[in-house]
Amino acid sequence: MSDYYNAFEISPVPAPGPDAVPPEPFRGIYGMPAFVTIPTGDLAASVDFWVRGLGFFELFSIPGRLVHLRRWAFQDVLLVPAASVPEQTPAMSVSFACVLSEVDSLVEACRAVRPDSVVDGPRDTPWNTRDVAVTTPENARVVFTAAKPFDPESQEARNLEAVGITPPGVGRGDNEEHG
């Protein structure tokens, strides 16, 4: 591939850092490049949890058929009514970007809305993020992941370098092949 561009130019995700500010909610209509559809046995309770606990907003609804939720641009969830939901949380999860300043308040909000919420984390990962996994009322596993500031001397930097990912300006590495 010979044409490279800065993918952050089209992403709503801000550059990592302790002062990173989440983007404003995006209320426009676009062709969704990806979205998740989640069946629920109680549409009203699910909307309440996703809005008050997870920070989504209701973009629109078709009464009794669908509620379209969104957080940032390209973070779309469709809640649809179902006769039942799985009793066990599936192994699969869906992940949404967030910023570090949202992590603790997200955990608190989930527990305030639903005290019996299963909230795992926050937990730091070997790939330089801080993650929180939440099991929703529909038994969906939702992960919120916030990039941490990059420290070139950290173990996380060494982990990334070991798989060929180097920060901009530090040698060519294999990053261009993934651009």
Side-chain angles (χ1 to χ4, degrees):
M1 178 186 258
S2 61
D3 294 324
Y4 301 105
Y5 62 93
N6 181 354
F8 284 97
E9 291 175 6
I10 63 170
S11 174
V13 180
D19 298 329
V21 176
E24 291 295 317
F26 185 81
R27 298 182 187 280
I29 300 296
Y30 51 73
M32 296 184 299
F35 60 92
V36 61
T37 301
I38 299 184
T40 175
D42 186 338
L43 198 53
S46 292
V47 169
D48 183 59
F49 185 80
W50 282 80
V51 169
R52 293 191 312 127
L54 300 177
F56 283 73
F57 66 91
E58 187 174 324
L59 185 63
F60 69 86
S61 66
I62 301 170
R65 308 249 351 239
L66 166 104
V67 176
H68 184 151
L69 302 173
R70 181 176 291 153
R71 229 173 132 259
W72 300 352
F74 312 120
Q75 293 186 345
D76 294 276
V77 172
L78 305 179
L79 295 176
V80 296
S84 65
V85 296
E87 288 187 30
Q88 286 189 301
T89 304
M92 190 204 104
S93 64
V94 60
S95 297
F96 295 101
C98 66
V99 296
L100 287 171
S101 64
E102 294 178 302
V103 170
D104 291 337
S105 60
L106 182 115
V107 169
E108 292 169 13
C110 287
R111 290 186 174 140
V113 172
R114 196 166 175 233
D116 61 339
S117 290
V118 177
V119 179
D120 181 23
R123 171 181 320 243
D124 290 342
T125 68
W127 46 90
N128 207 42
T129 64
R130 181 160 298 143
D131 292 2
V132 174
V134 177
T135 302
T136 70
E138 313 80 27
N139 269 335
R141 186 170 182 267
V142 180
V143 178
F144 285 85
T145 184
K148 297 185 328 187
F150 186 77
D151 174 1
E153 303 301 318
S154 69
Q155 180 60 50
E156 290 88 350
R158 290 187 289 281
N159 295 342
L160 293 170
E161 186 177 9
V163 296
I165 299 172
T166 56
V170 180
R172 185 180 159 136
D174 289 338
N175 292 350
E176 284 75 17
E177 291 178 21
H178 302 290

